[in-house]
């Protein structure tokens, strides 16, 4: 019967909850956030963002401070987006003891601004020689760079055209440039601007985009039968990148935002559950005991209420090593005071009920009466309070992280905002580094606020009529 009563109670609650539109909207947003946590590896280009957020080498192929790809939709000047090319044509030729491999990657370029860099990645065993060249849409072939690999047992190698082909690009541009009128130092040029420009005067100082199909050719000389080059990919580092762009450390912001969802849910839910549980138990015990014990507990409550939470969190985070678990514990130590007054007033009414007097007459202990007969009646109110406490916990964590006192070993929206503040995102107009984390903090807060208000609207009238 008890299980049937629970099912019937939930059914009645859901019937009332469905009639509150903003509550359903909050539930829908919560569902979206939970789905994002579950399918995280499949919706971001960098699934390891959470564990390698501070690892510079993990992001080195991305462009610096690039806006999102959808910026092109609203701009008359189209920038080449970042992309990875994994497909290529492969040919192999034997010449004595040498093996000659040729890889041809095709890149369709139909933009106004060229990519910032082209990076070749491969796994190498032995001591091969790798030669990169490019065939332009106008038929011209440019040898970009040659890399002789020292003998290695097995290692990922990275060849950047932007770094290694500056001289070759400059020499190609000088064939069409007038050195008397358009003089530019070699160290100041950007190779991709020349490689993707029309072959005419002004190619070094004011290049015009040459659109079409580019072929990046990789010639590999394997001097030994045991040498090999495998897992080859070509990364195009464009002027726009990802759904939310990149920051000044080349990190993909969308990957960081999605990685921060699980931490926001953990911080909010765990802090809310811990603090409300403590507050409900404290309030019920205070109401049930009464007398001097109630007075003493209320003085303790007033002490905690009078302490400003944010300054305490700042001081504690500055003194102790910033840690997400320490922060959750500190917030729980102060959040618990929220439900105490309301729970105490409810507890004073409940302890006068006839069944409480009957339990005392049968010799039930105080702990049994509190935990078996009083607290279960306050569970609906507890859930409503928890939902309303989640936004506060998330905002406090973001505030602490924004000041540089958060846990730098994890990816939270507050940490992203802190990095944006240090990186001068506002001054430099990098709005895509600031708005998304702030918007997601607001959305997460709005999610639980809507759910909490809906539960409060349903449950409070029932509690007041008891």
């Amino acid at each position: 019967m008890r299980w049937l009563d629970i099912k019937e109670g939930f059914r009645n609650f859901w019937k009332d909850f469905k009639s509150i539109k903003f509550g359903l909207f909050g539930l829908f947003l919560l569902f979206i956030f939970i789905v994002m946590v579950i399918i995280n590896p499949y919706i971001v280009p960098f699934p390891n963002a959470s564990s390698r957020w501070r690892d510079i080498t993990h992001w080195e192929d991305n462009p610096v401070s690039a806006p999102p790809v959808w910026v092109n939709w609203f701009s008359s000047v189209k920038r080449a987006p970042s992309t990875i090319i994994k497909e290529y044509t492969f040919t192999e030729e034997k010449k004595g003891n040498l093996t000659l491999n040729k890889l041809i990657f095709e890149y369709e370029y139909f933009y106004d601004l060229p990519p910032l860099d082209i990076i070749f990645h491969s796994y190498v065993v032995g001591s091969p020689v790798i030669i990169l060249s490019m065939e332009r849409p106008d038929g011209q072939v440019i040898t970009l760079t040659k890399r002789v690999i020292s003998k290695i047992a097995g290692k990922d190698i990275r060849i950047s055209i932007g770094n290694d082909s500056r001289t070759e690009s400059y020499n190609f541009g000088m064939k069409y440039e007038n050195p008397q009128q358009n003089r530019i130092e070699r160290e100041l040029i950007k190779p991709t601007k020349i490689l993707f420009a029309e072959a005419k005067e002004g190619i070094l100082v004011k290049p015009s985009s040459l659109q079409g199909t580019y072929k990046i050719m990789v010639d590999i000389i394997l001097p030994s039968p045991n040498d090999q080059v495998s897992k080859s990919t070509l990364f195009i580092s464009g002027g726009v990148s990802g759904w939310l762009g990149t920051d000044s450390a080349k990190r993909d912001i969308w990957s960081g935002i999605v990685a921060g969802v699980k931490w926001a849910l953990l911080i909010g839910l765990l802090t809310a559950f811990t603090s409300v549980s403590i507050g409900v138990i404290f309030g019920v015990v205070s109401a049930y005991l009464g007398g001097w014990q109630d007075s003493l507990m209320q003085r303790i409550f007033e002490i905690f209420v009078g302490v400003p939470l944010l300054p305490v969190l700042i001081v504690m985070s500055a003194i102790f090593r910033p840690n997400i678990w320490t922060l959750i514990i500190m917030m729980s130590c102060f959040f618990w005071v929220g439900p105490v007054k309301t729970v105490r007033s409810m507890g004073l009414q409940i302890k006068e009920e006839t069944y409480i007097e009957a339990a005392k007459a049968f010799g039930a202990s105080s702990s049994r009466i509190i935990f078996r007969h009083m607290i279960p009646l306050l569970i609906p109110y507890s859930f409503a309070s928890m939902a309303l406490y989640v936004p506060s916990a998330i905002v406090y964590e973001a505030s602490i992280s924004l000041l540089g006192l958060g846990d730098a070993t994890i990816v939270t929206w507050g940490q992203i905002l802190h990095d944006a503040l240090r990186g001068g995102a506002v001054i430099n107009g990098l709005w895509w580094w600031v708005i998304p984390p702030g918007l997601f903090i607001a959305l997460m807060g709005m999610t639980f606020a809507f759910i909490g208000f809906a539960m409060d609207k349903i449950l409070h009238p029932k509690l007041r009529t008891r």
Side-chain angles (χ1 to χ4, degrees):
M1 286 299 296
R2 189 170 184 181
W3 173 243
L4 293 176
D5 291 340
I6 293 173
K7 288 178 64 176
E8 184 63 26
F10 179 78
R11 192 177 294 114
N12 293 334
F13 168 77
W14 178 243
K15 182 180 179 181
D16 293 337
F17 193 89
K18 287 193 299 183
S19 63
I20 305 175
K21 301 303 180 184
F22 60 81
L24 287 177
F25 182 66
L27 207 59
F28 172 74
L29 289 177
L30 178 60
F31 174 76
I32 294 297
F33 282 125
I34 293 174
V35 169
M36 288 176 68
V37 173
I38 296 173
I39 65 172
N40 179 8
Y42 307 103
I43 60 175
V44 296
F46 297 92
N48 297 325
S50 183
S51 59
R52 304 187 66 179
W53 186 250
R54 304 289 175 183
D55 183 2
I56 298 176
T57 60
H58 188 61
W59 313 96
E60 60 183 346
D61 293 339
N62 288 340
V64 177
S65 303
V69 292
W70 46 265
V71 168
N72 273 349
W73 304 345
F74 310 99
S75 175
S76 58
V77 179
K78 309 300 181 184
R79 308 181 190 186
S82 295
T83 185
I84 299 176
I85 305 175
K86 296 183 179 180
E87 297 181 357
Y88 53 84
T89 58
F90 175 81
T91 57
E92 185 176 76
E93 182 182 353
K94 297 283 188 179
K95 287 189 177 181
N97 293 328
L98 297 178
T99 302
L100 305 179
N101 292 342
K102 189 178 188 69
L103 284 60
I104 301 178
F105 296 85
E106 289 193 358
Y107 173 52
E108 302 292 339
Y109 173 70
F110 294 98
Y111 306 96
D112 301 310
L113 296 178
L116 304 180
D117 200 358
I118 299 177
I119 305 106
F120 174 73
H121 282 274
S122 198
Y123 182 78
V124 173
V125 176
S127 54
V129 177
I130 301 176
I131 303 171
L132 265 66
S133 57
M134 173 186 284
E135 182 180 338
R136 291 156 41 97
D138 57 9
Q140 299 197 60
V141 178
I142 307 170
T143 300
L144 300 175
T145 184
K146 179 179 179 181
R147 175 78 64 87
V148 180
I149 308 296
S150 301
K151 190 172 183 61
I152 52 178
K155 183 181 178 182
D156 291 314
I157 60 110
R158 177 181 185 271
I159 301 177
S160 168
I161 289 177
N163 294 331
D164 300 341
S165 65
R166 191 180 301 275
T167 300
E168 291 77 5
S169 302
Y170 180 79
N171 292 338
F172 172 76
M174 286 300 296
K175 295 178 183 178
Y176 308 95
E177 197 60 272
N178 185 339
Q180 304 300 324
Q181 296 181 5
N182 299 325
R183 183 77 178 174
I184 186 172
E185 296 296 330
R186 184 174 58 188
E187 290 73 17
L188 300 178
I189 69 162
K190 294 184 178 180
T192 53
K193 285 189 174 183
I194 299 172
L195 297 174
F196 289 88
E198 294 182 2
K200 62 181 183 180
E201 186 175 345
I203 188 174
L204 295 181
V205 294
K206 195 176 181 181
S208 300
S209 175
L210 176 63
Q211 300 181 358
T213 301
Y214 287 77
K215 294 181 179 180
I216 293 85
M217 298 171 288
V218 184
D219 294 290
I220 303 170
I221 304 174
L222 303 174
S224 169
N226 296 324
D227 294 349
Q228 64 176 8
V229 176
S230 58
K231 301 177 182 178
S232 300
T233 57
L234 198 70
F235 193 95
I236 309 296
S237 179
V240 290
S241 178
W243 285 108
L244 293 178
T246 62
D247 61 16
S248 61
K250 301 185 177 183
R251 294 174 297 199
D252 182 68
I253 296 176
W254 169 244
S255 298
I257 291 291
V258 176
V261 173
K262 64 180 179 182
W263 291 109
L265 289 172
L266 176 67
I267 293 166
L269 293 174
L270 188 56
T271 302
F273 176 79
T274 305
S275 57
V276 171
S277 298
I278 295 172
V280 168
I281 294 172
F282 188 92
V284 171
V285 170
S286 178
Y288 179 78
L289 295 178
W292 67 269
Q293 294 163 308
D294 178 34
S295 299
L296 178 61
M297 294 180 73
Q298 290 307 302
R299 299 297 82 75
I300 295 173
F301 160 79
E302 290 169 1
I303 291 173
F304 277 89
V305 167
V307 176
L309 175 56
L310 188 59
V312 171
L313 289 178
I314 293 173
V315 172
M316 297 294 285
S317 298
I319 294 175
F320 299 102
R321 181 182 178 183
N323 182 280
I324 192 62
W325 307 110
T326 305
L327 184 60
I328 290 174
I329 292 172
M330 287 191 296
M331 287 193 294
S332 299
C333 288
F334 289 90
F335 276 22
W336 66 268
V337 298
V340 168
K341 280 293 185 183
T342 304
V343 168
R344 179 175 174 273
S345 65
M346 294 177 181
L348 290 173
Q349 297 177 32
I350 294 172
K351 81 171 186 176
E352 301 299 331
E353 296 283 352
T354 305
Y355 62 87
I356 299 294
E357 297 296 332
K360 291 180 181 179
F362 277 106
S365 64
S366 297
S367 60
R368 181 178 179 83
I369 292 173
I370 291 171
F371 289 98
R372 291 294 299 273
H373 299 294
M374 298 182 70
I375 288 181
L377 296 175
L378 296 170
I379 288 178
Y381 167 76
S382 301
F383 281 120
S385 298
M386 287 178 193
L388 293 172
Y389 272 62
V390 171
S392 299
I394 295 172
V395 170
Y396 270 108
E397 184 281 328
S399 301
I400 294 298
S401 296
L402 185 61
L403 296 173
L405 301 173
D407 189 347
T409 62
I410 63 174
V411 187
T412 66
W413 299 330
Q415 289 287 349
I416 296 175
L417 286 174
H418 168 66
D419 293 339
L421 182 65
R422 289 185 57 188
V426 177
I427 298 174
N428 296 318
L430 307 181
W431 53 266
W432 57 88
W433 195 0
V434 178
I435 294 178
L439 184 62
F440 269 78
I441 291 173
L443 282 175
M444 184 69 79
M446 186 171 63
T447 296
F448 285 95
F450 283 170
I451 295 173
F453 291 150
M455 294 176 70
D456 188 66
K457 185 176 181 180
I458 296 169
L459 299 172
H460 266 195
K462 294 182 179 180
L463 289 171
R464 283 198 294 267
T465 56
R466 175 170 293 278

